[in-house]
Amino acid sequence: MAAMSGTAPFPNSLSLPISGMTCASCAGRVERALRKVPGVEEVSVNLATEQARLSGTAPLPALAEAVRAAGYEVQEESRDIGVSGMTCASCANRVKRALEKVPGVLEASVNLATEQAHLRLLPTVEDATLAAALQKAGYALAVTPEEQAEPDHAPDRRAAAEVGFAFALAAPFLIGMLGMALGRDWMPPGWVQLALAAPLQFWLGARFYRAGWRALRAGTGNMDLLVAMGTSAAFGLSVVQLLRGEHHLYFEAAAVVIAFVLLGRFFEHRAKRATGAAISALLALRPRTARRLDQAGHEEEVPLAALRVGDRIVVRPGERVPADGVVEEGAAGLDESALTGESRAVEKTVGDAVSTGTVSLDGRLVLRARAVGGDTRLAQVAALVQAAQASRAPVQKLVDRVSAVFVPVVVGIALLTLLGWLLAGAGLAVALLHAVAVLVIACPCALGLATPAAIMAGTGAAARAGILIRDAAALEQAGRIELVVFDKTGTLTQGKPSLAALHPARGIALEDALQIAARLQAGSEHPLARAVLAMAGENVRPAEAFRALPGRGVEGVLDGRRLVLGSGRLLEESGLTSGPLAEAAAQHAARGHTLSWLIDPAKPAVLALLAFEDAPRVTSGTAVRSLKAQGVGVAMLTGDSPEAASAVASTLGIETVAAGVLPAQKAERIAAWRAEGRRVAMVGDGVNDAAALASADLGIAMGSGTDAAIAAAHVTLLRPDPVLVPATLAITRRTLAKIRQNLLWAFAFNALGIPLAALGGLSPALAGAAMAFSSVAVLGNALLLARWRAA
């Protein structure tokens, strides 16, 4: 790879595609090399995705040099983009500097005459990021060839052709081996064997020499080194035997091993790509172009990267939404299943928010873009899934320790095998073949792929169901949860309460009480406030000196008088009782209604009682029953009154209830449950749930909730459906089971296969086939997770 000229440090995080890694020891070596680069704060290398995820401020050239010194390469590509708005040479220089500041761009050259920029960059850099950099510099992205390009299948076709050619050359050897099993001599003449084996060894097998040499230069070993050593020994011995006129040749040991290893690599690559299909599927939801309205209202089709916040966009029936936005004209049913897992069409009309990648089924929409490119919800979901797939499970530490010594140990066992057979009286040829079998049967690939492949497949399957798992550590925690604690309002209930009744105190008119409550609530976004304002109508004049009272209610000044509106806790703090409204309060509490009190603290006096009704979600009862069926306990934690909480809990079958809890006390209650030795998950959707979500073993945020709740959570549900909570525990447990199965298979395969080969129980050809099968088996087992669907 050519030297990199980009010098801009990468901010926060960067995904660095690495080529040349073949086993767990490779991933460990790359990680150690990158960790030594000054400015790198954190690094995690994933063999399955072939990417290094880093955070820090190290420049790209230093990172690339560290990867290259370790014997590997940073993948890069060339890309041409059109730039509009340039008028002189200084413009071209400014564009060049702007593009080279983009993290991941290695080099940029700008041609003023053709109005194009030629870039060397990481494949992970998106056109939308380049467009944003150009816009900031005062220019625009004019042409995006990649938007129109078809996926490049050339590497797949080339790999398939190489495997086909390898087996064409190895076919005579396979026929000869079949003949030996039947007691026939069907092996080709010696010089024909040499002619067939040489291209396999030194052309198709050249990759093993190159990768093995890079590993040696870095002072370590990898799977390629084992294959190169083993096949070279068998090939070299056969050449010596042929020149001496010996009849017993072993070209088939080298040729068939290389053919099977190439076949295994081909299937392994296909399976790796399948385990990461969730990212590709999410990004494929983005349309390549958008219909943008100009100031005159005319439609123009533009590349997706050319969209800007504030643009007006047309979406016709059957088309995908190209940007996050708000509907300004029209109405349609939107298919959001690919993004949220919701199978039913969601009706959208003027004022509703829409997300990138959703499909308009039956109407024309005009929307105003609020987020484009990497800022869209779809891009953020893809980034979360990608981060989760690149993360490392705690169990991976054991694999890393084994991988660090795997290759030297295998080479040592091979040497002992050679010496042992020689001392036992076997000839050099027999001893060497058994040593070769040891080198070939060893499979660090299966060890390296066991954990990340399962994590990729599991988090991908979860994402398709509308479940975003932050990282592998969260996945492991989710698989061990013993108690799930639900917030009530907006989580188990619909979060859209209505004003069921208003009881004014004696001497106060109903309309006056409603207007006072509405004016106090006009500055609040709380669901109860929206219910009051919906009843009071429009043009409500807000109270002065509005202030929220966390966990209690609100206060404000109306016509010089300070009034408060809030919960029973606020009533107690005011030194009041329900008085004449006690009977009405008891009746509403028995029905599970939430009560609020309108109070004049100066007198003090109760002015009115407000009762709110918030029905449970349709699937809340199903979610509770599913959790209990999994052997998981269920509890409710809410700031609502004990009476309202008990009514909902009774309906849903929840026995453990903690009601009247302030936001700060929610985290304390979670801590108390954890102190009892229970692994606790908290499910919530509001700002007041953020502390509890962060303090739980596992925080699960409803996707309809606030950014604060989602940021504090380990798992985000893309649609507000409680049934996704037991689904989360189900997919994480299944993923952990696949990790354990894969690791058991990988360790058992090596623990049984290496001694069997050392004792002469496997020929090199069979060892090569078994080794290739081992990696494919691990990946295939992980891919079974793709069939999982949320109940």
Side-chain angles (χ1 to χ4, degrees):
M1 186 176 68
M4 297 181 182
S5 62
T7 58
F10 61 92
N12 299 324
S13 64
L14 175 75
S15 290
L16 202 63
I18 310 293
S19 62
M21 296 190 298
T22 58
C23 61
S25 59
C26 296
R29 186 158 61 255
V30 171
E31 185 169 313
R32 290 191 294 274
L34 289 172
R35 205 177 291 279
K36 293 177 183 176
V37 177
V40 171
E41 296 173 3
E42 294 182 8
V43 58
S44 175
V45 179
N46 190 312
L47 176 63
T49 60
E50 297 179 324
Q51 287 195 343
R53 192 169 184 84
L54 307 99
S55 62
T57 57
L60 271 175
L63 299 174
E65 182 57 36
V67 172
R68 193 160 46 246
Y72 305 92
E73 295 288 348
V74 173
Q75 297 174 27
E76 63 174 79
E77 66 178 33
S78 296
R79 193 181 303 175
D80 293 315
I81 61 171
V83 182
S84 63
M86 295 188 297
T87 58
C88 61
S90 62
C91 291
N93 289 330
R94 191 153 57 247
V95 168
K96 172 182 168 66
R97 290 193 299 271
L99 290 172
E100 287 186 339
K101 288 180 181 178
V102 175
V105 172
L106 311 172
E107 186 178 18
S109 60
V110 181
N111 189 315
L112 178 63
T114 62
E115 295 187 321
Q116 284 203 336
H118 178 74
L119 307 174
R120 283 179 46 243
L121 72 177
L122 303 182
T124 50
V125 179
E126 294 193 353
D127 288 324
T129 307
L130 301 174
L134 288 173
Q135 183 186 27
K136 188 176 180 180
Y139 304 92
L141 184 70
V143 180
T144 312
E146 283 73 17
E147 293 290 345
Q148 309 300 332
E150 292 298 321
D152 183 11
H153 297 294
D156 287 345
R157 290 194 294 267
R158 185 165 55 250
E162 288 179 352
V163 170
F165 192 62
F167 272 90
L169 292 172
F173 295 112
L174 292 170
I175 294 172
M177 292 168 66
L178 176 62
M180 283 189 285
L182 298 174
R184 308 288 183 87
D185 185 5
W186 293 346
M187 199 65 75
W191 291 102
V192 174
Q193 292 185 46
L194 176 61
L196 292 169
L200 275 165
Q201 188 71 41
F202 301 111
W203 174 41
L204 295 174
R207 69 197 67 197
F208 303 120
Y209 289 105
R210 288 193 296 266
W213 171 243
R214 288 196 296 265
L216 281 178
R217 280 193 311 173
T220 184
N222 59 9
M223 176 195 159
D224 297 284
L225 181 62
L226 297 179
V227 173
M229 290 175 62
T231 57
S232 296
F235 187 89
L237 174 62
S238 300
V239 170
V240 171
Q241 294 282 74
L242 178 62
L243 293 175
R244 292 172 56 182
E246 296 284 344
H247 180 68
H248 295 291
L249 306 176
Y250 307 99
F251 285 114
E252 81 281 355
V256 174
V257 163
I258 289 175
F260 274 120
V261 172
L262 290 177
L263 178 65
R265 289 275 177 89
F266 176 73
F267 284 126
E268 183 180 312
H269 174 72
R270 295 279 295 271
K272 279 183 185 177
R273 196 167 57 189
T275 56
I279 297 293
S280 301
L282 282 171
L283 295 180
L285 296 178
R286 298 179 298 187
R288 294 177 178 176
T289 60
R291 301 180 190 278
R292 184 171 61 189
L293 289 176
D294 61 19
Q295 292 182 346
H298 300 130
E299 290 185 21
E300 58 173 341
E301 191 166 353
V302 298
L304 189 65
L307 287 181
R308 299 289 177 268
V309 173
D311 285 349
R312 296 181 76 225
I313 304 164
V314 173
V315 181
R316 297 175 180 175
E319 292 182 342
R320 291 192 181 276
V321 176
D324 290 2
V326 176
V327 178
E328 290 192 341
E329 297 176 21
L334 257 61
D335 179 0
E336 298 182 338
S337 59
L339 184 61
T340 67
E342 174 59 69
S343 58
R344 294 171 297 180
V346 180
E347 293 299 321
K348 300 288 183 178
T349 186
V350 175
D352 290 338
V354 296
S355 297
T356 305
T358 56
V359 181
S360 175
L361 298 175
D362 53 10
R364 178 182 184 272
L365 298 175
V366 176
L367 58 98
R368 180 79 65 175
R370 283 190 171 179
V372 298
D375 296 327
T376 63
R377 187 185 187 201
L378 176 66
Q380 291 168 355
V381 167
L384 281 170
V385 176
Q386 193 167 32
Q389 293 186 340
S391 62
R392 299 163 69 84
V395 71
Q396 187 69 24
K397 294 178 181 178
L398 171 63
V399 178
D400 292 342
R401 287 196 295 269
V402 172
S403 301
V405 298
F406 188 88
V407 173
V409 168
V410 169
V411 172
I413 294 173
L415 289 173
L416 289 175
T417 300
L418 178 67
L419 293 174
W421 280 97
L422 288 174
L423 292 175
L428 175 62
V430 173
L432 191 58
L433 283 181
H434 294 325
V436 168
V438 169
L439 292 172
V440 172
I441 192 68
C443 192
C445 290
L447 280 174
L449 292 169
T451 300
I455 289 172
M456 288 176 68
T459 53
R464 282 191 294 273
I467 302 166
L468 293 185
I469 300 171
R470 182 193 290 177
D471 52 33
L475 186 147
E476 193 160 319
Q477 286 283 27
R480 299 172 178 171
I481 291 300
E482 299 167 330
L483 174 67
V484 173
V485 181
F486 286 96
D487 171 52
K488 181 178 79 71
T489 305
T491 302
L492 287 173
T493 65
Q494 294 177 5
K496 297 179 180 178
S498 60
L499 184 60
L502 193 157
H503 300 275
R506 182 175 298 174
I508 299 176
L510 180 67
E511 185 60 31
D512 290 342
L514 179 61
Q515 284 299 314
I516 293 171
R519 291 184 66 185
L520 284 173
Q521 301 269 37
S524 174
E525 290 297 322
H526 194 280
L528 298 184
R530 290 197 291 269
V532 172
L533 292 169
M535 184 67 70
E538 300 179 358
N539 302 320
V540 174
R541 184 162 53 92
E544 299 173 1
F546 169 84
R547 186 165 71 95
L549 306 173
R552 294 170 176 82
V554 295
E555 70 174 6
V557 176
L558 280 75
D559 302 323
R561 185 170 54 155
R562 176 178 167 270
L563 301 175
V564 297
L565 175 65
S567 64
R569 183 185 295 272
L570 197 61
L571 184 70
E572 294 174 9
E573 291 176 357
S574 301
L576 296 169
T577 63
S578 52
L581 299 176
E583 183 177 350
Q587 291 175 350
H588 287 296
R591 297 175 195 159
H593 292 171
T594 299
L595 305 182
S596 287
W597 302 88
L598 182 60
I599 302 168
D600 183 347
K603 290 188 177 180
V606 174
L607 304 182
L609 165 67
L610 289 78
F612 298 90
E613 184 176 29
D614 186 14
R617 294 185 186 275
V618 176
T619 57
S620 293
T622 303
V624 172
R625 290 190 294 273
S626 296
L627 287 168
K628 290 183 176 181
Q630 292 181 21
V632 177
V634 183
M636 180 194 292
L637 186 61
T638 178
D640 212 340
S641 67
E643 295 83 1
S646 296
V648 173
S650 176
T651 301
L652 300 177
I654 300 175
E655 291 83 18
T656 305
V657 180
V661 183
L662 293 174
Q665 294 173 328
K666 285 188 175 183
E668 294 172 4
R669 193 68 192 89
I670 292 292
W673 274 314
R674 293 183 66 194
E676 296 172 4
R678 308 172 82 175
R679 292 190 177 94
V680 181
M682 172 68 193
V683 187
D685 74 325
V687 173
N688 59 348
D689 297 322
L693 289 167
S695 62
D697 292 293
L698 183 75
I700 302 177
M702 304 288 271
S704 59
T706 63
D707 291 340
I710 293 173
H714 305 99
V715 175
T716 299
L717 309 180
L718 290 180
R719 67 178 191 272
D721 189 347
V723 93
L724 289 182
V725 175
T728 298
L729 303 191
I731 183 58
T732 54
R733 288 176 177 177
R734 190 167 298 190
T735 303
L736 290 175
K738 289 297 179 188
I739 290 174
R740 287 191 289 270
Q741 292 167 12
N742 282 352
L743 287 175
L744 178 63
W745 164 259
F747 278 113
F749 176 86
N750 285 291
L752 296 174
I754 292 174
L756 186 62
L759 295 173
L762 284 175
S763 70
L766 287 176
M771 184 271 290
F773 171 75
S774 178
S775 296
V776 175
V778 163
L779 286 162
N781 188 42
L783 279 174
L784 293 176
L785 288 168
R787 299 159 63 181
W788 177 85
R789 294 291 183 272

